[in-house]
Amino acid sequence: MLKIVDGYIVKKYLGTFSFMLILLSIVVLVIDVQQKIPRIEKATEIDPKLDLTYFLIHFYPYWIINLVITFLAILVFISVIYFTSRMANNTEIVAIISSGASFHRFAKPYLLTSLFIALISLTVNHFVLPWANVKKNQLEAYTYNAAAKEKILGTAPVSAQLSKTEYIFINSWNKREKRGYGFLYQKFDKDRKLIYELKATDVFWQQDKKSFVLNSYLEKTINKDDSEKLGQGFELKKNYGQDPEELFPNELLGQNKVTPELIKFIEREKDKGNSNLNSHLNELYQRTSMPVSIIILTFLALSLSSQKKRGGLGINLAIGISLAFVFVFSFEALKVVSENKSMSPALAMWFPNIIFFPITLFLYLKRANQ
């Protein structure tokens, strides 16, 4: 009998979750497209092919994948509250417990289903979502407001630390055209004394050669006796081991890398002495903490909704949606705190789970002992 009940609960769980998933995707897609149509229309001024149809095919499918993964734990939470509350209101849970099954045994299919979804989410987060983000991030900047779009695609000063003694500065760099003006490369010795300097009036990235092309350059080598050796020319090609996206990363770069690549990128930046890595570390730790949230929130939802209450489904959904907003807000707020270096990224991305786990455990044991 219990195997039949297990199958029934799993079917309810996955069915409700799938319905919520499809409903959310359709509703949010329609709202987002309507909101961003004016910005998408402006994108055609930059490139005529970037019309609404192009975005619907080449942007929104990958945007939906990102959206679903971001809110997966919340979808699971609300889905479990919904179908478990209906079971409680129909006295199905009372009948199952009265037949001799313990509450722990009743919770077994919840555990197995949440583990199944969490494992899929974990795999997608680490290896599939970055692929979708590469596609999404190629066009997402065009859906931003003017200020945010200029930050991603426009012209701005950039700098890079190649190693603990090597630096690049460009006064004006256009990220979309990969071209800039006012190039400066400096190299220091272990005592922080300048030993080499290279300047150029303009620079651009040559994709086929994987190198920077410097025009009207002037180089200066400083010898140990402080004498200087000067050189100049019209064109010089330099390879600094990385493309512009890696040298001058934005906050979207970490999203585009599968986890092994992201770890290598972070380690490489640490070796170079770069300490501004919290946004990328947040991305790394969140990929694991969010799937764990699915299991925690499943049992929190079960504990809150498995007993018949006055107000029934409505009060349970109200509590669930309120807690869901608290959970999402805490993640987003802690990202900002971490990026401001007020909290370590690991603690920031695991903090909601650290808070919600003991609450869930207390409520679950309280419900099981009733």
Side-chain angles (χ1 to χ4, degrees):
M1 175 190 169
L2 287 177
K3 287 186 178 181
I4 297 175
V5 172
D6 289 345
Y8 175 73
I9 292 173
V10 169
K11 184 178 177 181
K12 284 271 190 183
Y13 191 139
L14 294 178
T16 307
F17 169 70
S18 300
F19 173 76
M20 293 279 189
L21 183 64
I22 295 170
L23 182 63
L24 174 77
S25 300
I26 293 173
V27 171
V28 174
L29 175 63
V30 171
I31 294 173
D32 194 79
V33 169
Q34 288 183 335
Q35 180 185 1
K36 291 177 178 175
I37 280 179
R39 296 175 186 173
I40 292 173
E41 289 175 346
K42 287 184 180 180
T44 58
E45 299 173 6
I46 300 173
D47 189 338
K49 75 176 182 181
L50 299 178
D51 57 10
L52 180 58
T53 302
Y54 189 88
F55 271 82
L56 289 173
I57 297 172
H58 296 93
F59 172 73
Y60 275 106
Y62 309 107
W63 180 83
I64 285 291
I65 293 173
N66 182 277
L67 178 80
V68 166
I69 292 298
T70 300
F71 292 99
L72 193 63
I74 303 306
L75 281 172
V76 165
F77 183 58
I78 295 174
S79 299
V80 172
I81 281 184
Y82 179 79
F83 83 82
T84 305
S85 296
R86 293 194 64 181
M87 288 179 66
N89 289 341
N90 295 334
T91 65
E92 294 175 73
I93 296 175
V94 172
I96 293 169
I97 301 297
S98 300
S99 67
S102 67
F103 188 77
H104 298 302
R105 178 61 185 83
F106 170 72
K108 181 180 177 181
Y110 287 84
L111 173 63
L112 295 177
T113 310
S114 64
L115 279 171
F116 172 72
I117 296 174
L119 286 173
I120 292 176
S121 174
L122 189 67
T123 303
V124 170
N125 278 0
H126 285 284
F127 298 102
V128 179
L129 185 59
W131 164 80
N133 284 335
V134 169
K135 305 288 188 180
K136 173 183 73 75
N137 291 340
Q138 288 174 350
L139 295 170
E140 185 161 36
Y142 294 103
T143 68
Y144 292 168
N145 60 38
K149 182 168 67 176
E150 180 67 18
K151 185 178 178 181
I152 300 296
L153 297 176
T155 301
V158 294
S159 61
Q161 186 172 349
L162 301 178
S163 69
K164 293 180 180 179
T165 59
E166 295 177 277
Y167 303 87
I168 289 178
F169 304 92
I170 302 178
N171 288 337
S172 178
W173 177 257
N174 187 286
K175 296 176 182 178
R176 185 168 62 89
E177 296 179 359
K178 299 181 183 179
R179 179 181 294 273
Y181 303 93
F183 176 90
L184 172 63
Y185 166 84
Q186 292 181 321
K187 184 174 183 179
F188 298 82
D189 63 15
K190 61 181 181 180
D191 297 320
R192 308 301 298 170
K193 179 183 176 183
L194 182 65
I195 58 175
Y196 179 78
E197 186 175 81
L198 176 62
K199 295 181 178 180
T201 55
D202 61 87
V203 56
F204 67 91
W205 173 252
Q206 196 170 37
Q207 183 65 35
D208 57 339
K209 301 292 184 181
K210 297 290 182 183
S211 62
F212 288 91
V213 179
L214 312 178
N215 294 318
S216 301
Y217 69 91
L218 174 66
E219 57 183 342
K220 177 173 66 174
T221 303
I222 303 171
N223 301 315
K224 291 182 179 180
D225 60 359
D226 289 336
S227 62
E228 298 180 354
K229 179 183 176 181
L230 301 178
Q232 61 181 359
F234 293 106
E235 184 178 286
L236 179 66
K237 293 181 180 180
K238 297 291 290 186
N239 185 346
Y240 293 108
Q242 295 172 280
D243 60 23
E245 287 78 12
E246 297 271 345
L247 281 175
F248 316 120
N250 56 41
E251 63 271 18
L252 302 178
L253 180 66
Q255 299 178 9
N256 297 350
K257 293 181 177 294
V258 295
T259 297
E261 292 178 354
L262 180 58
I263 292 172
K264 288 180 182 177
F265 171 74
I266 292 171
E267 291 301 321
R268 187 166 64 243
E269 291 298 304
K270 285 181 178 178
D271 291 340
K272 293 188 321 190
N274 187 353
S275 59
N276 297 317
L277 295 171
N278 281 16
S279 62
H280 303 304
L281 288 167
N282 286 343
E283 174 69 24
L284 176 63
Y285 294 124
Q286 185 178 331
R287 291 180 182 183
T288 302
S289 66
M290 289 298 283
V292 174
S293 303
I294 291 171
I295 302 170
I296 295 173
L297 292 182
T298 291
F299 278 86
L300 179 60
L302 171 63
S303 305
L304 290 171
S305 59
S306 58
Q307 198 167 23
K308 192 171 183 179
K309 299 186 184 76
R310 182 178 297 176
L313 179 60
I315 189 66
N316 285 337
L317 281 176
I319 294 171
I321 291 171
S322 300
L323 286 172
F325 273 110
V326 170
F327 189 81
V328 171
F329 176 78
S330 65
F331 257 111
E332 296 305 313
L334 287 167
K335 279 184 184 179
V336 176
V337 171
S338 172
E339 288 171 9
N340 291 333
K341 299 184 178 180
S342 301
M343 182 183 290
S344 74
L347 178 59
M349 292 300 95
W350 281 95
F351 194 73
N353 287 343
I354 293 171
I355 294 299
F356 273 75
F357 175 73
I359 296 173
T360 299
L361 183 63
F362 170 76
L363 292 174
Y364 174 78
L365 293 176
K366 180 182 178 182
R367 175 66 182 90
N369 292 327
Q370 286 178 343

